[in-house]
């Protein structure tokens, strides 16, 4: 059993049509702009300033507003205005379905209860699959890093859907990984996905429209995304005084090849930019 976002869960149950799912997702994204987008819209920051703050976020894992305050580009009062506007406009996926007339409030409550049961079962199965593995702590850290960073980096929620099976690994058309060595030990983090998912993530990460993002640029962006993930996994799992050497991102090995080398765990991950496989070794 795999954990699913509410929209995918409802689609598979036949409660939503694909068109209704896309319409609701578009409405949800529109209701929840990033703080930088709001700041630009309100004339408090320009695009270059917002991008500079986003770049620092990737390196420092801090909130957009805290960095903007530190840099002197937003005042406390301006930040309060932006946060209030963001909170006021934010809508839950289920709320949008009711507003669009897809579900009644009563139907939504029934579906939410079924979805919670499904998630509980999937999360229990995932925990059993990871428990006892020598990489359990690192894998748990990698999942948390993805959950934390994906909304900020690629504008999408992210969650572990279960242990990745051979079919999911073989379906990955492109895979990027980073390896570090610390003394005799090494650590690997990789992401494999379809070409379409790679492009969707790259466009979001680089703030580009699809026409501006060719395959070469998309591959570079996937490597940068993996690099960022590895940086946070290292921060979360290695001692503060650890000395390590990092290799540059590589796309030379497939997801199946990476999963077959040494002690690895491959996880199926769900995101609104597309499903992918997270490989930790």
């Amino acid at each position: 059993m795999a954990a699913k976002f509410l929209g995918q869960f409802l689609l598979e149950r036949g409660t939503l049509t694909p068109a209704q799912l896309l319409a609701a997702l578009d409405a949800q994204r529109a209701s929840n702009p990033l703080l930088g987008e709001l700041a630009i819209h309100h004339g408090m920051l320009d695009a270059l300033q917002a991008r500079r703050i986003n770049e620092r976020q990737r390196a420092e894992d801090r909130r957009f507003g805290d960095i903007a305050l530190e840099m002197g580009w937003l005042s406390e009062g301006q930040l309060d205005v932006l946060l209030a506007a963001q909170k006021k406009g934010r809508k839950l996926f289920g709320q949008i379905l009711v507003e669009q007339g897809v579900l009644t409030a009563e139907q939504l409550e029934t579906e939410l209860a079924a979805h919670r049961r499904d998630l509980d079962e999937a999360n229990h199965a995932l925990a059993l699959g990871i428990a006892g593995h020598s990489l359990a702590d690192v894998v748990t850290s990698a999942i948390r890093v993805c959950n934390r960073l994906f909304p900020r980096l690629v504008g999408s929620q992210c969650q572990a859907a279960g242990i990745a099976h051979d079919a999911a690994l073989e379906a990955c058309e492109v895979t990027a990984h980073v390896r570090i060595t610390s003394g005799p030990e090494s650590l690997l983090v990789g992401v494999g996905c379809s070409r379409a998912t790679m492009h969707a993530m790259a466009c979001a990460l680089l703030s580009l429209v699809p026409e501006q993002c060719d395959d070469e640029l998309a591959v570079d962006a996937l490597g940068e995304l993996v690099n960022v993930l590895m940086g946070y996994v290292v921060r979360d799992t290695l001692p503060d005084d650890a000395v390590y050497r990092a290799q540059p991102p590589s796309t030379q090995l497939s997801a199946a090849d990476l999963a077959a080398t040494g002690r690895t765990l491959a996880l199926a991950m769900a995101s609104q930019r597309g499903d992918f496989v997270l490989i930790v070794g």
Side-chain angles (χ1 to χ4, degrees), residues 1 36 52 110 127 165 168 174 176 183 227 237 250 269:
M1 172 172 292
R52 288 272 303 278
T110 299
H165 299 295
V174 60
N227 223 5
T237 59
S250 172
M269 304 290 291

Side-chain angles (χ1 to χ4, degrees), residues 1-4 115-131 143 147 159-162:
M1 172 172 292
K4 307 175 187 70
H115 184 233
R116 284 192 291 269
R117 290 193 298 271
D118 188 78
L119 284 178
D120 288 343
E121 293 176 10
N123 289 333
H124 179 67
L126 177 61
L128 289 177
I130 294 174
I143 293 172
N147 292 346
Q159 67 182 26

Side-chain angles (χ1 to χ4, degrees), residues 15-113:
T15 306
L16 294 183
T17 66
Q20 289 171 328
L21 173 60
L22 290 175
L25 288 173
D26 287 342
Q28 185 182 34
R29 291 191 190 105
S31 78
N32 189 28
L34 298 175
L35 211 59
E37 295 172 348
L38 278 176
I40 294 171
H41 176 74
H42 285 273
M44 297 178 185
L45 295 175
D46 59 36
L48 178 59
Q49 289 172 317
R51 187 162 61 251
R52 288 272 303 278
I53 296 171
N54 286 331
E55 289 169 354
R56 282 192 56 178
Q57 277 191 294
R58 294 180 195 174
E60 300 174 18
D61 191 22
R62 295 169 61 201
R63 294 181 299 185
F64 184 97
D66 291 340
I67 296 174
L69 289 175
E70 181 181 285
M71 298 179 77
W73 289 348
L74 287 178
S75 68
E76 292 278 3
Q78 288 174 318
L79 180 58
D80 288 343
V81 169
L82 294 175
L83 290 172
Q86 189 181 53
K87 182 178 180 180
K88 181 179 179 180
R90 185 179 295 131
K91 293 181 180 179
L92 297 176
F93 186 78
Q95 177 186 352
I96 291 171
L97 293 178
V98 173
E99 290 180 356
Q100 293 180 342
V102 178
L103 296 176
T104 66
E106 293 75 16
Q107 288 172 324
L108 175 61
E109 285 302 316
T110 299
E111 295 293 347
L112 286 175

Side-chain angles (χ1 to χ4, degrees), residues 124-139:
H124 179 67
L126 177 61
L128 289 177
I130 294 174
H133 197 284
S134 60
L135 289 170
D137 290 343
V138 180
V139 169

Side-chain angles (χ1 to χ4, degrees), residues 7 10 34 103 108 125 151 164 190 249 251 258 272 277:
L10 296 177
L34 298 175
L103 296 176
L108 175 61
T251 57
L258 286 176
Q272 291 147 332
V277 173

